[in-house]
Amino acid sequence: MLSKLQRYDAIIFDMDGTLIDSMPSHLDAWKKTSEIHGFPYDRQWHHSLGGVSTERTAEMISERYNLTLDAEKVAETKRQSLEDIFQGPVLIEETYQVLLAAEGKKKLAVGTGALRGDALALLNEVGVLGRLDTLVTVTDVNNGKPHPETFLKAAEQMGIEPKHCLVFEDTELGRQAATSAGMDCVLVVNGQLQWPE
């Protein structure tokens, strides 16, 4: 694995579904939210939006189904639903092994669509927070994924050129954000790493 990381100076991990296995809880929370607010629920579509902020996802639901939902209320319901069902974070072994292999040799960052407070709590709980050089959350940017700002900001804060950063992501939108930032991307699919050619 180290040989695959050799040409990069920094590794940037997405958090939910990439480094921490929280996507099933997020999807269940969206299902519960859909029942409360009366909009259709499409698990596969919601999974494809991993990394998009909760508010933006709520707006996209309105756009997709031609509804006039109150995005703030929907987002708050989803956050409350997640709090009710979340059993606690579990690291995804394959990506955690990358972090361990790169630690002390490469700069390390997390670039996530989660709110800063939530990301700090989760990363602290799994023992990763203190090992990062930087953390960029949706709270820290003007444009969330698939816009590249999250990853570009992480690279800037680490003092590393984007082309020398490798991103780990679990969604197509996240991969788009990495590619737009001029970074290579490893997709994490069902806990397995799909390395770029």
Side-chain angles (χ1 to χ4, degrees), residues 1-6 94 97-99 101-102 168 193 195:
M1 183 197 308
L2 269 176
S3 61
K4 291 178 177 171
L5 301 177
Q6 211 158 7
E94 293 287 324
Q97 289 304 319
V98 172
L99 186 145
F168 284 77
L193 307 182
W195 294 85

Side-chain angles (χ1 to χ4, degrees), residues 97-112:
Q97 289 304 319
V98 172
L99 186 145
L100 292 178
E103 192 174 14
K105 303 173 187 76
K106 313 279 179 192
K107 295 271 191 185
L108 297 172
V110 164
T112 176

Side-chain angles (χ1 to χ4, degrees), residues 39-66:
F39 58 82
Y41 175 72
D42 177 343
R43 195 171 183 91
Q44 199 171 349
W45 181 71
H46 272 281
H47 188 277
S48 76
L49 299 179
V52 176
S53 75
T54 306
E55 275 84 359
R56 180 64 191 125
T57 299
E59 289 167 3
M60 290 169 79
I61 291 164
S62 277
E63 291 162 14
R64 184 175 201 214
Y65 298 110
N66 201 18

Side-chain angles (χ1 to χ4, degrees), residues 107-123:
K107 295 271 191 185
L108 297 172
V110 164
T112 176
L115 295 170
R116 176 161 275 276
D118 295 344
L120 288 169
L122 282 175
L123 291 165

